[in-house]
Every structure is written in C-alpha cells, then in structure tokens.
Amino acid sequence: MLYPVYALLFADSGLSEAQISSLFALWSVTSFTLEVPSGVLADRVSRRLLLAAAPLLAGAGFALWVLLPSYPAFAVGFVLWGAGGALGSGALEALVYEGLAAAGAAHRYPRLIGRSRAVATAAVVVATPLASPVLAAGGYAALGAASVAACVCAAAAGWALPEAPRDRAASDDGDGEAGVLRDALAEVRRAPALLGVLALLSVLSGAEALEEYLPLLARSTGVSDTAVPPLVLLVTAGTAVGQWCAGHATRWAGPALCAAALLLAVGAFSGHPAGMLGVAAAFGVLAWAGVAVETRLQERISDRSRATVTSLAGIGTETVGLLFFAVYGLGSVWAGPGALFAVLAVPFLVVGLLLWRPR
C-alpha cells in the first residue's frame, strides 16, 4: 500500500524533486553494483533461497522509512531495497525458465511469466485503492506496516517455489564465481544478436524508472492527494493487461511501441486527469513488449550462466534507469512532470521504429 504514495511521503518530509531523484539514483546505483554479483551467486547456490531473502531486505527498508522519515533513512531504505531487488533479479527468470525446460514446456515461458506478473500487478491493483482510506485513518505508519507484512508474505512465496535440479558439476568446475562470470561474458561476446537483445530490453526497462514518478504526474493534473492512488491504479491496471497478453502478436511490437510512445507523450503532456488513460495504455504496451524481448533473451543463453547473463540485462536496466532519473531530476528545474514524461517517451519511439524495420 505504500507504493502509490511513497513519493508523496518523501515530498511531505521536505524533500525536493531533485532530492527525490537522487534517492531513485541511489536505488539504481545499489542495484547496478550488486546486479552481476547476485546473478553469479544465483548460478552457484539455491535460487529459491535468494528469492526468499530478497523481499525481507525491502521490508526492512519500508519500516525504516515510516519510523524515521528523513533523507538519510530514505537513502538507507533504498540501499536495502536495491540489494533485495538485485538478489531476485535474474534468479526468478532463471528458475522459471529452467523449471519449464525440465518439463519440456519452455515455449510456455512468455505466457507463464507474463501472466504471473499480471497476477502480481493485480495484487497491486487491489492494494492501491486501499491506500487512500488507510492513509486517511492511520497515516504513513499504517501503510508502512501493511507493506512490511506484504514483504514477509512474498518471502514465504519465494521459499515455496519449486526449483528444478541443476547440474552442479557444470556450475562448479573449480573456477568458482570467476568462472561463471567469465563464461557469461564470453557467451555475450560470441553472439552479437544476444547483445542486441540485451540493449533492447535495457531501453524498454525505462518504463520501470518512470513508474516512480507516476504519483507526481498524477498530482500535476490538479487532483487532490486522495485521488492520486486511483490514477496510479489506472496505470497499474494497464500494465497488468499488457502482461496478461504477453506472448501474443509479437510481430506487431514495432508499430505498437511507436503508438505507445505517442500515447505516453500526449497523455502526460495534456495536464488533465483523462490523459492518464493514454499513459495507462502506453505502460501496458511497454510491459507486453518487454516480456517478448525477455523471452528472446532466455532462448539464447545456456543454463550454466543463465542468471548471470540475465543480470547483465539488469545492468543495462539500471544504466537506463540512472539516465532517466538524471534527465528527470535536472529537467525538473525547468519543466513539470507532464513535459518530462513526454521527453522520456522518445527512447521508446526509437525502439519502436527500429523494430518496425524489416528483419
């Protein structure tokens, strides 16, 4: 429940938009630094264990935010959240893909991963409307307590996931972590197409960075603070629809992404609450296209270094995220959220145009 309004918590604690952007940047730097080491770790130890530990770190950060609302506490919380995100990044995708491959159902990966994310997003859709009455009744402390409880439940779910047996001999050849990382880098160097998929996935991940500013975009349309969660909910619902449709009609990814970029720019720049409909549709298309590209990545990498290579995609994600945060933070001096969202829709338009070209 804290998610749709935590940017407001920062603002209400006296932070400027530039300071908020610096927190998001710290979050990305933490994830960036730990991304590959955590991927290597996931190729060496139980991925299920990592998926159980990751949410607990995020929950600790949320608790710190509401107990000690200040810039230092927010910064430490983002470090914890970034560390938790890095632990789960790569591990989950590798666990799911290898589990399906072991069952002879690797072709089901895009539908399963997309629909599982849609169900997860639907949980956010359920929680988001509750943020307004809970905020009114118990303030940010109540929202924080609910969010910590959700993280504990997520840890239990991670531990309950089935994990297919792995060839420990192949992943434990005596070189340890260095050998896993070396093999992953060699795999990327040998396949230029794999490097291109990593780049595409990194750019599309810019939507994740923009999500952090959705409450500020919603507030800029002139609505009250209590109306911000429903508008964020609208965009979340759009994302869930895109995730649910993953694996279908992917040949239209190019034109669909171009249309999404235009909808995002026009909807955000309109400055009207109705413009959030266009933003919601755009986020849905971006989520749908992201699963399609991610599936191409999983199809091109080996089991031995699967989590590590997937974590390399996370490095690209964090790099793009940092660039988006920097543009937004610097641009906030001269422009509002609507104009900044419109500018940051341009990279998605470029990707759409590239995908639209003949193969």
Side-chain angles (χ1 to χ4, degrees), residues 286-310:
L286 291 170
W288 164 80
V291 174
V293 177
E294 180 187 319
T295 302
R296 294 187 185 186
L297 176 66
Q298 294 297 331
E299 291 170 347
R300 285 165 168 77
I301 52 183
S302 65
D303 289 348
R304 186 183 187 282
S305 54
R306 183 173 301 280
T308 304
V309 174
T310 305

Side-chain angles (χ1 to χ4, degrees), residues 90-103:
L92 177 61
E93 294 83 359
L95 184 149
V96 172
Y97 190 87
E98 289 182 7
L100 288 172

Side-chain angles (χ1 to χ4, degrees), residues 159-188:
W159 184 251
L161 286 171
E163 185 171 13
R166 280 186 284 160
D167 184 357
R168 294 294 177 181
S171 63
D172 207 2
D173 58 2
D175 287 337
E177 287 77 7
V180 174
L181 179 58
R182 184 175 59 249
D183 288 349
L185 294 174
E187 192 169 349
V188 173

Side-chain angles (χ1 to χ4, degrees), residues 137-229:
Y140 291 115
L143 294 178
S147 297
V148 171
C151 289
V152 173
C153 292
W159 184 251
L161 286 171
E163 185 171 13
R166 280 186 284 160
D167 184 357
R168 294 294 177 181
S171 63
D172 207 2
D173 58 2
D175 287 337
E177 287 77 7
V180 174
L181 179 58
R182 184 175 59 249
D183 288 349
L185 294 174
E187 192 169 349
V188 173
R189 285 196 302 268
R190 288 194 301 265
L194 179 57
L195 185 60
V197 172
L198 287 170
L200 283 174
L201 190 57
S202 298
V203 175
L204 288 176
S205 69
E208 298 176 10
L210 283 181
E211 284 180 359
E212 309 310 320
Y213 297 105
L214 284 174
L216 300 178
L217 177 64
R219 178 188 264 178
S220 72
T221 63
V223 300
S224 64
D225 284 356
T226 55
V228 167

Side-chain angles (χ1 to χ4, degrees), residues 92 96 100 107-125 236-237 239-249 284 287-292 294-295:
L92 177 61
V96 172
L100 288 172
H107 63 282
R108 288 190 161 193
Y109 177 82
R111 176 177 292 186
L112 179 62
I113 201 72
R115 292 194 171 184
S116 66
R117 289 175 183 171
V119 172
T121 303
V124 178
V125 172
T236 304
T239 300
V241 171
Q243 292 166 333
W244 189 264
C245 295
H248 298 286
W288 164 80
V291 174
E294 180 187 319
T295 302

Side-chain angles (χ1 to χ4, degrees), residues 3 26 43 48 87 95 155 173 187 250 260 283 305 321 348 357:
Y3 177 76
L26 176 63
D43 280 326
R48 184 178 66 171
L87 281 181
L95 184 149
D173 58 2
E187 192 169 349
T250 55
F283 270 76
S305 54
F348 306 133
R357 296 173 60 193

